[in-house]
Amino acid sequence: MSDNKENIFYKAKNYYCENGAKQFVRRIYEKITKSDQVNYQKWLKRHIPSENELIKQREAQFGHKIKFSIVVPLYKTPEDYLRQMIFSVKDQTYDNWELILSDGSGKESKLSDIIDNEFRADKRIIYIKNEKKLDISENTNEALKLAKGDYVVFLDHDDLLTPDALYECVLAINQDMHRDVLYSDEDKISMNGKEYFQPHFKTDFNIDLLCSMNYICHLFVVKRDIINQIGLLRSEYNGAQDYDFTLRCIEIADKIYHIPRILYHWRAHKDSTAENPESKLYAFEAGQRAIEAHYERIGIKAEVMQGEYLGLYRTKYMWDEKPLISIIIPNKDHAIDLDKCINSIEKKSVYRNYEYIIIENNSSEKSTFEYYDKLQKRNERVKVVTWNDEFNYSAINNYGVTFAKGDFFLFLNNDTEIINGDCLNELLGCCMRSEVGIVGARLYYEDDTIQHAGVIVGFGGIAGHAFLGLPRTANGYFSRIICAQDLSAVTAACMMVKRTVFEEVNGFDEKYKVAFNDIDFCMKVRMTGRLVVYNPYAELYHYESKTRGLEDTEEKVRRFNSEITRFAKKWPDILKNGDPFYSINLSVKKCDFSVKSWNE
């Protein structure tokens, strides 16, 4: 074995011993599937502002010349990192800022020598020498107390801003003065500052994802008026003090704006929370408490647990009510599939207050009707109703709803099978929130690959399923397969919706007979201001398209194309501007959240 191979072997062995099998498999999968770093280096070069663009930014004039207070807690900061961080601020193309450095290293700190000797001439740089050692919250608060800017920018002592960071912020604020919280995309920078990697191209504001992980992270900018209202950082959440602070900010913010640009370089440390999570378990426990406190403040009774990996969190809603769910299932023959679907609910579901509305749709097999008779006799929850017209998915479901008694509708394909006993609880618990209109599930093909982990509008030209075909064990781009999150749409193969919301938007649009009816329905619900939530903890198998068949005739192809045209005409803005829960920097030609190629 060569020295290099032997070194790799022992590194892998040590990682396995230190982190266990589950983390080891996850790391191997990430190594195999992650975007090529060289490609990101090239991507970055193409997307960073040119020298001419930076000159134009320096010359730009704004109607509102916002002042930014950049607060940085220093603690035994390596001198080179300190210099690089300060120069990244001094290099900003927008110059109305102050940099407040609070040194919590203790009285023996020598960092003041660097400030005095190298940066004293720049009066925008303020250095605070604290006599005693301070924790991260106390240290940051000392800087916040001196902030005089209109907005406060948070920067870690060893990280870097891109030269256009403040320019992009002031530009966004001038476009809409109600934007009082802003955040950007970010990447990581190597210890030597020569390599950029792991770009995080983020969704627009996404409260369910934020309660699953602190995806906002860097760059974070907040109006000082908000800080005056909510108070400073809290030491009881140290390790996740920024998470707690972010949650408190967004609770009272008017508008939260995502800048879809890399504006922050996060220096990667081998022993940091990001690279070696087990090294700071207290931080993840603090994050859990921060989310619990958020729910308590907004009046939602919920239990927060650690997620599948450290840094991820899972919410279970603790409602006292147990409303009736109407499970609406269209069926044409395929009695075996339908029986499997219903049996999975009857045998596994711990939630028991539901009814079935089976919509008989032009079945031709005698055995199907015999099955209906037996089913209704043995299960008083079942009601079979008959649809006598041609196949029209939207019309069939709208018809089925007229027989439903529940306050919540669960639209379910007959070729599905629930996996986990709390599947209905997961869907209902989320859907009962006042701001939520629709909740979707995680679906697998029979071979345990992803069939549905949410829908991204724009995939394939119109819309498509995220992470299609990835292994069931995959966590996806920044763990988005396994995290609850808001999306533009979910599939109606398993979709829960409030009755009141369904009625408000007049149900499914019956002009979509086969395709895009569920996507259009989600879009209509989102237009009411309500959320569409993907809940990965409701898991089902979906034995896709056994009922409908393929688009294999001229008539079917023509109908499919007409429905594409209808969707494109009805929802042009999202197709033009991009799905707000995706990123304009990611490819719509692939479903794995790959970085966009040059020709897209």
Side-chain angles (χ1 to χ4, degrees):
M1 187 183 295
S2 68
D3 290 343
N4 186 46
K5 288 182 178 178
E6 186 174 358
N7 187 39
I8 292 172
F9 171 79
Y10 282 113
K11 279 185 176 181
K13 180 181 177 183
N14 290 337
Y15 189 90
Y16 180 91
C17 293
E18 291 174 7
N19 299 280
K22 192 173 184 180
Q23 285 278 29
F24 180 75
V25 172
R26 177 193 181 206
R27 176 57 66 90
I28 293 297
Y29 176 79
E30 288 175 346
K31 291 286 186 183
I32 293 171
T33 61
K34 71 178 181 177
S35 297
D36 185 85
Q37 292 181 8
V38 174
N39 286 344
Y40 176 61
Q41 301 289 329
K42 293 179 179 178
W43 184 95
L44 194 61
K45 288 180 180 179
R46 287 174 177 262
H47 288 82
I48 60 175
S50 66
E51 285 301 320
N52 286 337
E53 289 172 323
L54 293 176
I55 291 171
K56 289 179 180 178
Q57 289 181 12
R58 295 181 193 282
E59 295 172 348
Q61 299 296 316
F62 295 97
H64 299 276
K65 194 165 174 59
I66 303 297
K67 182 174 183 178
F68 294 100
S69 295
I70 306 167
V71 298
V72 184
L74 306 178
Y75 186 81
K76 298 182 179 179
T77 311
E79 294 183 3
D80 285 346
Y81 294 167
L82 176 62
R83 291 187 181 93
Q84 291 172 32
M85 179 272 293
I86 293 175
F87 278 117
S88 82
V89 175
K90 288 178 65 66
D91 288 343
Q92 291 299 301
T93 58
Y94 181 78
D95 63 1
N96 192 18
W97 52 263
E98 61 179 3
L99 174 61
I100 308 173
L101 308 170
S102 178
D103 189 353
S105 311
K107 61 183 179 181
E108 70 278 4
S109 175
K110 302 297 183 182
L111 296 179
S112 59
D113 294 343
I114 296 174
I115 307 301
D116 290 341
N117 295 335
E118 301 180 34
F119 301 104
R120 183 190 304 173
D122 194 332
K123 301 304 179 184
R124 297 172 298 178
I125 299 176
I126 302 164
Y127 174 79
I128 306 167
K129 176 69 177 290
N130 298 289
E131 289 303 309
K132 65 175 184 177
K133 292 183 179 179
L134 301 177
D135 67 37
I136 183 66
S137 294
E138 294 171 333
N139 200 12
T140 307
N141 289 342
E142 290 304 310
L144 285 171
K145 290 173 185 177
L146 294 186
K148 295 182 174 61
D150 305 294
Y151 284 74
V152 174
V153 180
F154 292 85
L155 175 60
D156 288 349
H157 66 162
D158 49 2
D159 295 342
L160 304 173
L161 298 180
T162 64
D164 57 334
L166 297 185
Y167 171 85
E168 291 293 341
C169 291
V170 74
L171 178 64
I173 295 167
N174 271 264
Q175 289 169 345
D176 186 345
M177 293 299 293
H178 292 287
R179 291 171 175 168
D180 43 16
V181 169
L182 302 94
Y183 65 96
S184 77
D185 296 341
E186 62 187 290
D187 64 12
K188 290 191 173 72
I189 186 171
S190 60
M191 300 294 287
N192 61 11
K194 294 182 179 180
E195 184 179 8
Y196 301 96
F197 58 101
Q198 288 185 15
H200 190 179
F201 295 117
K202 304 172 185 177
T203 160
D204 284 356
F205 181 62
N206 195 321
I207 185 59
D208 283 274
L209 187 59
L210 184 59
C211 289
S212 300
M213 67 167 84
N214 184 11
Y215 84 91
I216 286 180
C217 208
H218 308 302
L219 179 67
F220 186 67
V221 181
V222 59
K223 203 170 192 175
R224 191 158 57 91
D225 290 348
I226 287 184
I227 301 176
N228 293 338
Q229 294 179 61
I230 68 167
L232 303 176
L233 275 65
R234 305 193 292 191
S235 293
E236 59 266 38
Y237 295 99
N238 277 346
Q241 73 288 335
D242 53 343
Y243 203 172
D244 168 69
F245 184 78
T246 298
L247 287 165
R248 288 188 286 135
C249 286
I250 61 95
E251 288 166 13
I252 67 167
D254 185 4
K255 288 188 177 181
I256 302 158
Y257 183 69
H258 165 227
I259 302 173
R261 295 184 65 87
I262 299 286
L263 301 182
Y264 194 101
H265 302 307
W266 183 359
R267 199 179 297 272
H269 292 272
K270 182 179 179 182
D271 296 322
S272 74
T273 305
E275 292 298 309
N276 184 11
E278 289 78 4
S279 66
K280 293 185 178 179
L281 286 174
Y282 74 92
F284 303 109
E285 293 167 356
Q288 181 177 340
R289 289 187 285 107
I291 303 168
E292 290 171 340
H294 162 70
Y295 284 126
E296 185 175 351
R297 287 190 299 270
I298 64 174
I300 291 180
K301 189 177 179 181
E303 178 186 359
V304 179
M305 299 166 286
Q306 297 289 332
E308 190 170 342
Y309 301 110
L310 291 172
L312 306 182
Y313 302 92
R314 176 179 180 177
T315 298
K316 278 186 173 288
Y317 299 97
M318 313 297 289
W319 304 107
D320 295 325
E321 301 86 354
K322 304 293 181 185
L324 178 67
I325 301 171
S326 295
I327 304 174
I328 298 165
I329 308 176
N331 186 68
K332 179 181 179 181
D333 293 317
H334 295 283
I336 294 175
D337 291 328
L338 178 61
D339 189 56
K340 182 187 291 187
C341 175
I342 291 176
N343 280 340
S344 72
I345 298 172
E346 292 297 308
K347 293 179 180 179
K348 295 180 181 178
S349 179
V350 296
Y351 191 87
R352 305 307 294 175
N353 192 20
Y354 55 80
E355 64 174 2
Y356 300 98
I357 307 296
I358 310 298
I359 312 166
E360 155 53 29
N361 164 39
N362 296 308
S363 293
S364 58
E365 298 173 7
K366 181 180 178 182
S367 59
T368 300
F369 296 96
E370 292 174 347
Y371 172 74
Y372 290 154
D373 289 338
K374 292 178 182 178
L375 179 62
Q376 290 181 95
K377 287 176 182 177
R378 74 170 186 251
N379 192 332
E380 62 182 10
R381 304 176 193 270
V382 176
K383 182 179 182 65
V384 178
V385 301
T386 302
W387 171 261
N388 291 316
D389 209 336
E390 66 176 357
F391 180 83
N392 180 321
Y393 178 88
S394 298
I396 290 170
N397 279 285
N398 288 344
Y399 174 71
V401 161
T402 65
F403 298 91
K405 298 176 182 177
D407 292 324
F408 292 82
F409 303 148
L410 176 59
F411 296 100
L412 193 63
N413 276 25
N414 63 350
D415 56 351
T416 58
E417 179 183 358
I418 72 166
I419 295 172
N420 52 313
D422 59 349
C423 183
L424 298 187
N425 301 66
E426 288 290 345
L427 294 167
L428 180 63
C430 189
C431 204
M432 287 177 69
R433 286 164 43 201
S434 60
E435 71 273 22
V436 173
I438 294 173
V439 181
R442 179 164 34 159
L443 307 178
Y444 309 116
Y445 289 113
E446 192 170 6
D447 64 356
D448 281 320
T449 58
I450 299 290
Q451 192 271 339
H452 173 267
V455 171
I456 301 298
V457 178
F459 275 5
I462 295 292
H465 290 191
F467 305 112
L468 189 70
L470 267 64
R472 177 175 173 174
T473 54
N475 57 313
Y477 183 76
F478 284 88
S479 296
R480 287 191 57 177
I481 291 176
I482 59 176
C483 285
Q485 63 201 267
D486 307 321
L487 291 172
S488 287
V490 293
T491 179
C494 179
M495 172 195 285
M496 183 171 285
V497 58
K498 290 184 178 76
R499 171 191 282 272
T500 53
V501 172
F502 186 87
E503 292 172 347
E504 182 180 341
V505 301
N506 297 314
F508 293 100
D509 185 341
E510 296 182 9
K511 293 181 180 178
Y512 295 99
K513 294 182 178 182
V514 177
F516 307 113
N517 34 60
D518 46 0
I519 315 303
D520 173 79
F521 178 70
C522 288
M523 297 292 289
K524 291 196 298 180
V525 170
R526 284 193 58 234
M527 290 297 288
T528 72
R530 294 179 179 87
L531 299 175
V532 175
V533 181
Y534 160 69
N535 186 343
Y537 304 111
E539 299 178 83
L540 303 91
Y541 282 111
H542 181 199
Y543 309 110
E544 166 127 60
S545 293
K546 286 184 178 178
T547 302
R548 180 167 63 86
L550 302 172
E551 307 296 342
D552 55 2
T553 68
E554 184 178 341
E555 180 185 354
K556 288 182 178 181
V557 170
R558 185 167 58 248
R559 181 181 59 200
F560 183 75
N561 288 335
S562 70
E563 291 177 355
I564 288 177
T565 301
R566 177 172 176 78
F567 186 91
K569 287 182 178 178
K570 189 174 181 181
W571 306 107
D573 289 346
I574 193 169
L575 291 173
K576 177 183 177 183
N577 301 323
D579 191 321
F581 300 108
Y582 194 52
S583 171
I584 60 173
N585 297 307
L586 297 176
S587 174
V588 294
K589 293 183 177 181
K590 300 179 181 179
C591 63
D592 60 356
F593 288 48
S594 300
V595 175
K596 184 181 289 186
S597 61
W598 320 131
N599 57 357
E600 283 190 57

